[in-house]
Every structure is written in structure tokens, then in C-alpha cells.
Amino acid sequence: MSKEIQKLTHGAMITALLGALFLVDRQSAGLFNYIIGWIVPLPILIYGAKYGFKQTLIPFVASVFLAFIIATPVTAVYALMYGVIGLIYGYGVYSKWSARSLFYATIVGTSVVFLITVLLFASFFGYNLQQEIQTISNIIEAMDVSAAVNTTTMVQTTLVVMFATSVLLEAFVIHTLAKIILARFKIKVIKASSIENVRFPKWVGILILVSLFIYPITISLSMDETYQTIGFAIYSWNVLLLTYQAFVFVIIMQRRYKLKFLVWTVVLGILFIPTIMIDIMMIVGLLDILSDIRSRLLGVKNHA
């Protein structure tokens, strides 16, 4: 079988398989909506890893058109968004990105999906952010917490933790499944460099620091709900980036000083006292990016 025929055959198989999934999802009234994000990217990224970005556009566009024809509107939009994640991931594998870069790209993709589905166009996807905030507020009030506790801060922190957990877990699942299937197809992925080299550039840290004030400004000026939602999304994304950078610092510290349970202690701290630990992690993340704390405390001078 020639290479061109093989491309056409594989592209047709991808479109047919995804079409069958969309049809089953429609007949089951959207029963498989929650796993669309894990399934749709996989065949597209495999095709992209083998044949490149331009060649992958054909089965991708065909699958998206098919989704809009036979699937529910929500499923069709999910197929479009998660298909783009698969498209970018496949391009990354084809272009020899490292495994860490692929994971970063997946996190960005799932963050954008979360922003669109839960914040910007929540009603279309069946979410209600204000209702979620009210529900969390009611739970906190029912817990009979101290009057000294800032309920608004607790609600915001809870939402940020939920956002970060959802984004990271979904990205992790997609990335893990992709690695398993790529290995099955004997497609190599470049291993990531040492974690000691992982640190955002200083200009990124400055940008994060400045943008942290956007959400408080929208609240203090009593701006429209849309602007507050966008501000909260930016704030959540910044918290996610800073927490990730702080975890890198913690992992390096654990290795440097052989503190076996340091990472797990931090994780448990975030779970049990998130209002305090999130702020601490953000400060550590900013210091790691903007200062020389890593070289002073850990003796690590590399700055990627």
C-alpha cells in the first residue's frame, strides 16, 4: 500500500470512528459528553504525529463537519475544541517537542476549554457559575465557620482549586493516554529535560504579577458580570501558573535536601487549608521566577 493511499485510509478510519461515536452520543442524549474530551484528541494526534499538521487538517475538518451534522450541538463544539488539542499535540510530536512541552500545550488547551465552557458560555454547556458560587457559599455558611473568616476569599479559593484540579487532571489523562497509544504505534516522544531547568522567564513573572490585579479591579469598580468573569479566569490561570512554578521549586527542594514527604505535605496543605496555602504557593512561585531564591537556597543556577 502506497503512502498516499495509507494516509487516505487512516483519515477515513478516523472520521468513521469519530462519526460512530457522535452518532451513539446523540442516540444516548449526550451520555458520552464527559468522555468526548478524552477520546476525540487521540486519533487526531496519532494521525498528526505520523503525517504532520497539514495532512491532519483534512480528517480533522471532516470529523468536525460530521459532528455538526449528526451530533448534538454541545458535542459538536466539544469535538471542535478537543480536536484542536489533538491537532496541536500531534503537531508537537511531529515537530519533536519534548514530553513536558506537550503536557504544557495540553494544559493550555484544557484551560481554554474550561474558560469557554464554564465561564464565558456556561449556559450553553449547562453550567451556571453564579449558582456554583452560591452553592459553595451555602456550604461554607452551613459549616458554621468563624466570623473572622472571609467567606468571599474562601469561595474564590475553592473555585480556583476546582479550576486548577479540573484542568490539570484532564490534561494529565489526555497526555497519559496519548503517551500509551503513541508507544503502541512505536512513535517516539522526546523525553523532557531535567526539572531543575524549568522556570518561567522573568517577563512572564512580571506579566503575571501585573495581571493578578485585574480581577480585584473589576470587583472594586463593580464592573459588568462579563468583565468580572474574564477577570476571574485570568486570575485563576495566574494562580495555576504560579502554583505550578512553586511545585517545581518544592520538588527541587525535596530532592536537594532529601525531604521525602515535602511534596505530599504541600498537597495536603492545599487540600485542608487552601486559603492559606494557595497564597503561600503564589508567593513562592513569584519569588522563584523574579528572584534568585533558587540559587541561594538550592544551589540551582539554571534558568530556562
Side-chain angles (χ1 to χ4, degrees):
M1 184 183 295
S2 68
K3 190 173 182 179
E4 291 300 320
I5 296 176
Q6 193 176 43
K7 286 181 185 178
L8 291 172
T9 304
H10 289 171
M13 288 175 60
I14 289 173
T15 306
L17 289 172
L18 291 179
L21 174 64
F22 300 147
L23 186 61
V24 171
D25 180 72
R26 184 181 183 88
Q27 295 300 317
S28 61
L31 182 64
F32 297 96
N33 270 350
Y34 296 101
I35 63 171
I36 288 291
W38 304 344
I39 296 178
V40 169
L42 299 178
I44 294 175
L45 70 87
I46 294 297
Y47 193 91
K50 291 187 68 174
Y51 302 116
F53 182 80
K54 290 183 179 180
Q55 299 294 334
T56 313
L57 286 174
I58 298 173
F60 167 70
V61 172
S63 299
V64 170
F65 271 116
L66 194 59
F68 278 96
I69 292 171
I70 65 176
T72 62
V74 172
T75 300
V77 177
Y78 274 133
L80 172 62
M81 293 187 295
Y82 285 105
V84 170
I85 293 177
L87 199 65
I88 295 172
Y89 197 107
Y91 169 77
V93 175
Y94 189 81
S95 301
K96 307 301 181 183
W97 292 2
S98 69
R100 185 176 290 122
S101 297
L102 294 172
F103 185 50
Y104 289 164
T106 310
I107 291 175
V108 172
T110 53
S111 299
V112 172
V113 171
F114 192 93
L115 173 66
I116 293 172
T117 58
V118 179
L119 298 178
L120 296 182
F121 302 100
S123 58
F124 176 77
F125 294 94
Y127 297 104
N128 189 326
L129 183 61
Q130 297 304 319
Q131 186 176 346
E132 293 289 339
I133 293 174
Q134 187 60 47
T135 301
I136 295 173
S137 299
N138 293 338
I139 293 173
I140 293 173
E141 291 174 2
M143 293 170 62
D144 194 25
V145 296
S146 171
V149 176
N150 190 324
T151 305
T152 303
T153 302
M154 285 193 68
V155 171
Q156 292 175 359
T157 304
T158 303
L159 287 173
V160 169
V161 171
M162 290 170 57
F163 167 79
T165 304
S166 300
V167 166
L168 289 174
L169 284 179
E170 192 166 53
F172 178 76
V173 170
I174 294 173
H175 181 61
T176 302
L177 291 175
K179 287 175 65 177
I180 292 172
I181 296 178
L182 286 169
R184 188 70 177 175
F185 279 84
K186 298 181 180 179
I187 300 174
K188 292 184 178 180
V189 176
I190 298 176
K191 292 184 178 180
S193 59
S194 173
I195 196 169
E196 282 80 5
N197 297 325
V198 178
R199 184 157 55 178
F200 295 119
K202 286 189 176 181
W203 66 267
V204 174
I206 295 171
L207 182 63
I208 291 173
L209 180 61
V210 172
S211 59
L212 281 173
F213 295 96
I214 295 176
Y215 180 56
I217 289 173
T218 61
I219 297 295
S220 61
L221 297 179
S222 300
M223 291 185 176
D224 184 75
E225 184 180 312
T226 302
Y227 295 109
Q228 292 185 19
T229 301
I230 294 173
F232 179 75
I234 295 172
Y235 175 79
S236 301
W237 178 241
N238 287 333
V239 172
L240 179 64
L241 292 177
L242 291 177
T243 304
Y244 169 78
Q245 188 64 64
F247 263 113
V248 171
F249 182 85
V250 169
I251 291 171
I252 296 173
M253 178 175 285
Q254 178 176 273
R255 293 180 179 180
R256 175 69 173 79
Y257 295 105
K258 298 180 180 179
L259 304 172
K260 292 183 179 180
F261 303 106
L262 181 60
V263 173
W264 282 110
T265 302
V266 172
V267 171
L268 291 174
I270 292 175
L271 292 176
F272 288 103
I273 47 172
T275 52
I276 298 174
M277 285 300 299
I278 290 294
D279 290 340
I280 293 175
M281 295 294 281
M282 290 172 65
I283 293 171
V284 172
L286 276 173
L287 287 174
D288 192 30
I289 298 172
L290 299 176
S291 71
D292 60 347
I293 185 175
R294 186 182 295 193
S295 60
R296 286 178 178 273
L297 295 182
L298 309 179
V300 178
K301 296 183 180 181
N302 291 330
H303 191 208

